[in-house]
Amino acid sequence: MRDVLLIAVFALGGAACAGVLGAGVLRLVRRRSVAVSLAVVAGVTVTAMLAGTLAVARAMFLSPHDLAVITLVVAMAAVVSLATALLLGRWVVARSRELSLAARDFGDGGHFAAPPGQTTAELDALSRELAATSDRLAASRERERALEASRRELVAWISHDLRTPLAGLRAMSEALEDGMAADPARYHRQIRIEVERLNTMVGDLFELSRIHAGALALSPSRMSLYDLVGDALSGVDPLAREHGVRLVGEGVERVPVEVDGKEMTRVLANLLVNAIRHTPADGTVAIATDTGLRDGVVVLSVTDGCGGIPAEDLPRVFDTGWRGAAARTPLPPAGAMAAGCGAGAGLGLAIVRGIVEAHAGRTAVRNVPGGCRFEVTLPLVSPATP
């Protein structure tokens, strides 16, 4: 037993010396290729075995012949180990290089595609992560392009919609200044209408900028959706009468919601005014709620008689600055500007989406027979909540 312990001590001492030396070499080459590191590891392994063997051989007083045989065997093992390590290192380096080239193309704005062939588990996991990151960046670039296109459209439409009332204001003020206005009172009324239109447009832009900047401060309180809808219907009733449109709100349930009353009233007013403006005379605008689609939420819908929206335009209805072809026609001078929905630069529905999402809700639109239905989904407040 004592001889075995001595052999173990001598072998451990020799291997430990080789291990310490190998650790120093690995530290020196830590910034080099993986192939070099693998070769060093293989060399350290063989050297540790050789050092332990030589230490034990000297302690056992082996003959020179036996010592030479052992040294030759260890040397052959070292050659095979080093060759295997170098081959493995070259394969790993080649795979890493292919992965780097693929990642470089992906970094230049392309899509990442993992190089074909077998690879190590770590490189395979890295390829999957790069592919997932590539998909996220592609989606982000697509959103950025959509936002940039929306911004350009918004700037173009804002420029047009500002230029039109400003040109009218300038012409009317010059007519009044030169004494050419046959009916000054009518000119004054028209100037006030155009100023209100500009004021509404600027207010919508300010509201939208707050939403996009995340600066929309809400003051939520518990209230009945029935009361909110009733107030909104009362506010737009004169406009509906002017356009000859019938308002129907009999399907509204008395359900509690936690919302900012002022902002949610703006949402309902925007949707209702938009529906009234696009519904022909003798048509109907209906507002209803539904709590049966999914537990914990209420769906508020506004249905109009506009005739429907082209299918290709439905995904863009709530985009900033979007307007359909019909919205580019001249707008009525009064009433329809009140909520900015579809008027001006087409900011009303974008504001609706921003406010609803700030309330942890969502918006949607779909065609129905004879028109379209705008839906606002809001979380319900549990009756047990104080």
Side-chain angles (χ1 to χ4, degrees):
M1 184 65 181
R2 182 181 177 184
D3 293 339
V4 174
L5 290 176
L6 286 175
I7 291 173
V9 169
F10 280 109
L12 179 62
C17 293
V20 171
L21 180 62
V25 175
L26 278 176
R27 182 176 177 82
L28 293 176
V29 300
R30 65 184 183 276
R31 298 183 182 276
R32 303 293 295 276
S33 171
V34 175
V36 175
S37 297
L38 287 174
V40 171
V41 170
V44 168
T45 302
V46 175
T47 303
M49 183 176 63
L50 178 60
T53 302
L54 291 178
V56 172
R58 284 185 174 278
M60 296 176 64
F61 302 103
L62 293 180
S63 65
H65 177 268
D66 293 339
L67 185 60
V69 171
I70 292 175
T71 303
L72 180 62
V73 171
V74 172
M76 293 299 100
V79 171
V80 174
S81 299
L82 289 174
T84 304
L86 288 174
L87 287 175
L88 176 61
R90 287 175 62 86
W91 177 71
V92 172
V93 168
R95 297 298 301 171
S96 300
R97 199 164 291 155
E98 292 174 358
L99 192 59
S100 298
L101 292 175
R104 184 181 304 169
D105 295 339
F106 147 59
D108 291 337
H111 182 75
F112 176 80
Q118 297 294 325
T119 184
T120 63
E122 292 79 7
L123 291 180
D124 187 55
L126 179 58
S127 297
R128 290 195 299 269
E129 288 296 327
L130 286 174
T133 302
S134 173
D135 292 338
R136 288 193 295 269
L137 284 179
S140 177
R141 284 193 294 266
E142 187 62 31
R143 287 194 300 270
E144 183 179 353
R145 282 193 291 267
L147 287 174
E148 179 61 21
S150 176
R151 186 192 65 81
R152 288 196 298 267
E153 291 177 352
L154 176 61
V155 170
W157 289 339
I158 282 290
S159 300
H160 173 269
D161 291 335
L162 286 176
R163 189 180 297 115
T164 301
L166 287 175
L169 288 172
R170 179 177 180 179
M172 287 184 288
S173 62
E174 289 177 351
L176 289 171
E177 184 179 9
D178 296 338
M180 302 297 294
D183 187 358
R186 184 175 67 86
Y187 276 65
H188 289 148
R189 286 194 301 271
Q190 189 63 33
I191 288 174
R192 179 180 58 81
I193 290 172
E194 294 298 333
V195 169
E196 289 178 356
R197 177 182 179 184
L198 290 174
N199 182 66
T200 299
M201 193 181 304
V202 172
D204 285 346
L205 284 172
F206 178 70
E207 182 78 3
L208 197 61
S209 67
R210 287 201 304 157
I211 292 172
H212 287 173
L216 182 63
L218 299 178
S219 300
S221 60
R222 181 172 177 172
M223 57 186 64
S224 171
L225 193 59
Y226 181 87
D227 296 334
L228 280 173
V229 172
D231 293 341
L233 288 174
S234 299
V236 300
D237 185 64
L239 180 62
R241 293 177 182 275
E242 178 185 343
H243 285 258
V245 174
R246 187 166 64 97
L247 295 177
V248 176
E250 299 175 354
V252 179
E253 303 178 38
R254 297 179 181 270
V255 292
V257 289
E258 190 85 16
V259 295
D260 186 310
K262 178 183 176 182
E263 297 296 342
M264 194 53 60
T265 297
R266 178 167 190 160
V267 166
L268 298 179
N270 277 13
L271 292 176
L272 288 170
V273 170
N274 187 70
I276 292 170
R277 286 186 56 249
H278 293 88
T279 298
D282 297 329
T284 299
V285 170
I287 184 167
T289 58
D290 190 348
T291 57
L293 296 181
R294 198 177 69 182
D295 292 339
V297 299
V298 58
V299 178
L300 175 68
S301 63
V302 176
T303 306
D304 59 33
C306 67
I309 299 173
E312 62 273 14
D313 288 343
L314 284 174
R316 299 194 57 201
V317 167
F318 291 97
D319 289 353
T320 301
W322 180 86
R323 294 184 300 179
R328 299 176 189 244
T329 58
L331 296 167
M337 308 304 171
C341 189
L347 305 179
L349 292 179
I351 292 174
V352 166
R353 180 175 63 179
I355 295 176
V356 171
E357 290 179 352
H359 284 85
R362 62 182 185 275
T363 56
V365 60
R366 57 191 177 92
N367 286 323
V368 295
C372 60
R373 177 174 297 160
F374 288 85
E375 297 178 347
V376 172
T377 303
L378 294 172
L380 284 172
V381 176
S382 172
T385 303

